[in-house]
């Protein structure tokens, strides 16, 4: 156990655990940045493979649909099979799917590869977080470890824009997928050498009905939001998907109360602090993913930035998230209650969004965009780290994978909802502005740009409000206290003998 006077690590702690964290963080970064790394490469891929404008969204949607829909199943597989084994399987599968996508000769082949990437990411992400949870229990080390993890979870999407811009401009769009192969190979060798885990639960069975109901419901919801962007919210298919998703998830909850070995034990989401963390994460990512979408198009289409310049424009946001997670949250979480970090974090992020509502077609990056990105980054860094640490604290070993998956699910589903919801608001607001102001055909180009920017600012106001709502949820629901200084984190319930 740790020495409460010196704060030293427990005597039985693995001396190589920090190198193990590097491997876990590398895998997590690969999964998160792959949700956005192809965004900047998409125009090149569309031209090369002859995709239509209507179908190009599937390069993004195929990944997020499989990832968001299968996370709960992936988390439970990690609990039953063993987290390290599942981690390695996820890495190998992700690398193979990435190589397949990079070699794609048709749009259908690329869509399929992206769906496979999402499926293996759903296996990889929860096993990575649960390995982290079971490796670091000393509160001082736990704060540092989750600070690094939270920084990567929050900044990975922005890093994806930077890497995607560099690879697309100086190599080829295919390298946005090929780059995962060497990263995964390093992580696999590192996992075998550095990571430790107890074996899976002998004789345990997977809750097949729960998997079908839960995954089916999540896929229907995520698919519905993705289709709402192009079809509209009142379309019959969109409404049908939402209705099917609600029915399936309602049935899933009912079944979990009766299943002998439930896919998602309901005591995990009934816990007030965990439920607050899940909801805070979902609301926070609604605003964050909307920001990434709008700023990418704003910088390239309105300010005429190159792919590399667009990617580098997100660098201050990434740096601010890392500072907020590792230098502020990680240092304070051992002394402060989680919500005292999460609430100010969401207020800062919302303030950054409000600053962005002032942008115009002639905005200066240094004076108008940069301050907003820095506030956003600090706010997200303050929030993500305590969310991950609090949601996974004190979980029974047999439930750590599915709990980790639930955190990731709230992030992924929140991002999907945010992209669809805010994009729909922006599009409708832009159309209304253009209709009201387009009187002189000679000014058509300027009015079109102004209309696009107006739509973005309206949507960003909504995002700012959602961020404040996330802060309110954190303040009211997350009542956990700060861990006792120098004491081990709440011990998980021992795994029952089977």
């Amino acid at each position: 156990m740790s020495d409460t006077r010196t704060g030293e690590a427990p005597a039985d702690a693995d001396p190589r655990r920090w190198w193990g964290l590097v491997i876990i963080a590398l895998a997590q970064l690969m999964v998160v940045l792959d949700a956005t790394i192809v965004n900047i490469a998409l125009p090149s891929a569309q031209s090369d493979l002859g995709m239509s404008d209507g179908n190009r969204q599937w390069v993004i949607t195929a990944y997020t649909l499989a990832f968001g829909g299968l996370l709960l199943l992936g988390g439970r597989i990690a609990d039953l099979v063993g987290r390290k084994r599942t981690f390695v399987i996820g890495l190998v599968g992700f690398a193979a799917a990435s190589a397949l996508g990079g070699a794609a000769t048709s749009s259908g082949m690329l869509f399929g590869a992206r769906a496979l990437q999402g499926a293996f990411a759903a296996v990889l992400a929860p096993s990575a977080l649960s390995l982290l949870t079971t490796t670091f229990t000393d509160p001082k080390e736990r704060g540092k470890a989750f600070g690094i993890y939270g920084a990567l979870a929050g900044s990975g999407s922005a890093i994806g824009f930077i890497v995607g811009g560099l690879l697309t401009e100086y190599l080829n769009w295919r390298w946005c997928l090929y780059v995962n192969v060497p990263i995964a190979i390093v992580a696999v060798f590192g996992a075998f050498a550095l990571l430790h885990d107890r074996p899976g639960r002998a004789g345990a069975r997977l809750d097949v009905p729960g998997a079908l109901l839960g995954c089916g419901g999540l896929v229907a919801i995520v698919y519905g939001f993705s289709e709402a962007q192009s079809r509209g919210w009142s379309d019959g298919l969109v409404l049908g998907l939402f209705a099917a998703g609600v029915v399936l998830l309602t049935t899933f909850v009912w079944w979990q109360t009766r299943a002998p070995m439930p896919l998602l034990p309901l005591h995990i989401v009934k816990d007030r602090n965990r439920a607050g963390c899940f909801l805070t994460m979902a609301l926070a990512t609604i605003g964050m993913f909307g920001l990434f979408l709008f700023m990418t198009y704003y910088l390239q289409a309105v300010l005429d930035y190159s792919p590399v310049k667009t990617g580098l424009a997100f660098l201050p946001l990434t740096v601010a998230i890392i500072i907020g997670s590792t230098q502020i949250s990680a240092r304070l979480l051992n002394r402060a209650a989680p919500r005292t970090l999460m609430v100010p974090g969401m207020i800062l992020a919302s303030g950054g969004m409000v600053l962005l509502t002032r942008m115009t077609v002639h905005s200066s990056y240094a004076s108008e965009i940069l301050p907003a990105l820095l506030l956003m980054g600090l706010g997200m860094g303050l929030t993500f780290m305590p969310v991950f640490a609090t949601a996974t604290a004190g979980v029974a070993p047999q439930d750590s994978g599915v709990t980790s998956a639930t955190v990731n699910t709230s992030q992924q589903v929140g991002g999907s909802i945010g992209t669809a919801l805010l994009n729909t608001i922006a599009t409708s607001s832009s159309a209304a502005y253009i209709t009201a102001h387009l009187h002189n055909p000679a000014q058509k180009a300027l009015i079109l740009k102004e209309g696009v920017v107006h739509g973005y600012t309206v949507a960003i106001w909504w995002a700012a409000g959602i961020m404040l709502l996330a802060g309110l949820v954190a303040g009211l629901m997350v009542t956990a206290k700060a861990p006792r200084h120098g004491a081990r984190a709440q011990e998980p319930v021992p795994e029952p003998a089977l």
Side-chain angles (χ1 to χ4, degrees):
M1 303 295 279
S2 61
D3 188 327
T4 57
R5 293 166 298 177
T6 64
E8 293 178 356
D12 59 350
D14 183 355
R16 299 181 299 172
R17 62 194 175 281
W18 290 105
W19 285 107
L21 173 62
V22 172
I23 299 302
I24 294 170
L26 192 64
Q28 175 64 17
L29 177 62
M30 184 176 68
V31 167
V32 175
L33 68 81
D34 229 70
T36 57
I37 192 172
V38 298
N39 279 41
I40 292 178
L42 188 52
S44 300
Q46 181 181 0
S47 174
D48 196 10
L49 299 179
M51 293 181 221
S52 67
D53 288 345
N55 287 335
R56 67 184 178 185
Q57 65 156 330
W58 281 103
V59 176
I60 310 298
T61 304
Y63 181 84
T64 58
L65 190 62
F67 189 15
L70 298 175
L71 267 166
L72 280 179
L73 179 61
R76 186 46 97 194
I77 290 173
D79 289 330
L80 300 182
V81 176
R83 288 170 279 279
K84 178 179 174 179
R85 185 183 302 174
T86 310
F87 183 78
V88 172
I89 291 171
L91 283 170
V92 173
F94 197 89
S98 298
L100 180 66
T105 55
S106 67
S107 57
M109 185 175 174
L110 180 58
F111 299 156
R114 289 288 286 168
L116 276 177
Q117 277 189 304
F120 282 107
V123 172
L124 180 58
S127 58
L129 181 54
S130 56
L131 280 169
L132 181 68
T133 301
T134 55
T135 300
F136 295 92
T137 55
D138 183 85
K140 188 175 280 189
E141 291 191 345
R142 186 179 175 87
K144 293 177 182 177
F146 274 91
I148 294 169
Y149 188 90
L152 291 173
S155 64
S157 298
I159 294 172
F161 287 119
I162 299 170
V163 176
L166 290 169
L167 292 175
T168 301
E169 189 152 325
Y170 294 114
L171 289 174
N172 185 283
W173 68 266
R174 296 179 184 275
W175 279 97
C176 291
L177 295 161
Y178 285 143
V179 71
N180 293 318
V181 177
I183 296 175
I185 290 173
V186 170
V188 166
F189 281 107
F192 280 121
L194 299 167
L195 298 180
H196 304 283
D197 183 33
R198 71 185 69 198
R201 301 170 66 189
R205 292 175 300 158
L206 186 65
D207 175 17
V208 176
L212 293 174
L213 291 168
C215 297
L218 286 174
V219 166
I221 295 291
V222 175
Y223 186 24
F225 273 103
S226 67
E227 286 295 299
Q229 296 183 66
S230 56
R231 294 175 176 268
W233 295 99
S234 60
D235 180 79
L237 175 63
V238 173
L239 295 177
L241 286 167
F242 287 150
V246 169
V247 170
L248 287 171
L249 291 178
T250 302
T251 309
F252 169 77
V253 172
W254 170 82
W255 172 250
Q256 295 309 282
T257 63
R258 289 159 176 78
M261 299 186 69
L263 180 69
L264 176 61
L266 294 184
H267 65 81
I268 291 173
V269 292
K270 285 180 179 178
D271 180 271
R272 177 172 180 162
N273 289 302
R274 288 195 192 101
C277 287
F278 298 151
L279 188 52
T280 299
M281 173 63 79
L283 292 170
T285 49
I286 285 177
M288 187 180 74
F289 274 68
L291 171 75
F292 289 149
L293 175 72
F294 299 142
M295 292 311 298
T296 300
Y297 279 95
Y298 174 76
L299 293 172
Q300 291 194 71
V302 178
L303 298 187
D304 296 322
Y305 281 22
S306 67
V308 169
K309 192 175 180 181
T310 299
L312 292 176
F314 283 99
L315 185 59
L317 174 70
T318 304
V319 172
I321 290 175
I322 292 172
I323 291 173
S325 289
T326 63
Q327 301 305 310
I328 302 176
S329 280
R331 294 175 184 271
L332 294 179
L333 185 63
N334 207 31
R335 304 176 181 87
R339 64 178 172 183
T340 62
L341 297 171
M342 295 159 65
V343 174
M346 285 293 90
I347 292 174
L348 279 176
S350 179
M353 287 286 195
V354 171
L355 288 181
L356 280 180
T357 62
R358 303 182 306 166
M359 67 185 187
T360 67
V361 294
H362 304 296
S363 287
S364 164
Y365 176 83
S367 62
E368 297 177 65
I369 308 301
L370 179 59
L373 294 181
L374 292 175
L375 281 177
M376 274 284 299
L378 285 173
M380 300 307 290
L382 280 171
T383 303
F384 274 10
M385 183 266 172
V387 164
F388 282 117
T390 306
T392 56
V395 179
Q398 69 269 20
D399 291 332
S400 64
V402 74
T403 303
S404 304
T406 309
V407 183
N408 281 285
T409 298
S410 59
Q411 182 181 17
Q412 192 63 34
V413 173
S416 299
I417 292 172
T419 301
L421 174 64
L422 297 178
N423 187 57
T424 301
I425 292 171
T427 302
S428 58
S429 299
S430 294
Y433 181 94
I434 292 169
T435 301
H437 292 81
L438 189 58
H439 306 300
N440 185 353
Q443 296 181 319
K444 182 177 180 179
L446 177 61
I447 295 299
L448 288 176
K449 276 192 174 184
E450 288 180 345
V452 168
V453 174
H454 172 77
Y456 292 167
T457 57
V458 171
I460 288 171
W461 272 115
W462 278 86
I466 293 171
M467 292 282 193
L468 285 178
L469 180 59
L472 180 63
V473 168
L476 294 177
M477 293 186 66
V478 183
T479 58
K481 306 298 183 184
R484 289 179 296 129
H485 184 65
R488 287 170 74 88
Q490 183 184 352
E491 290 288 351
V493 178
E495 187 163 3
L498 295 172

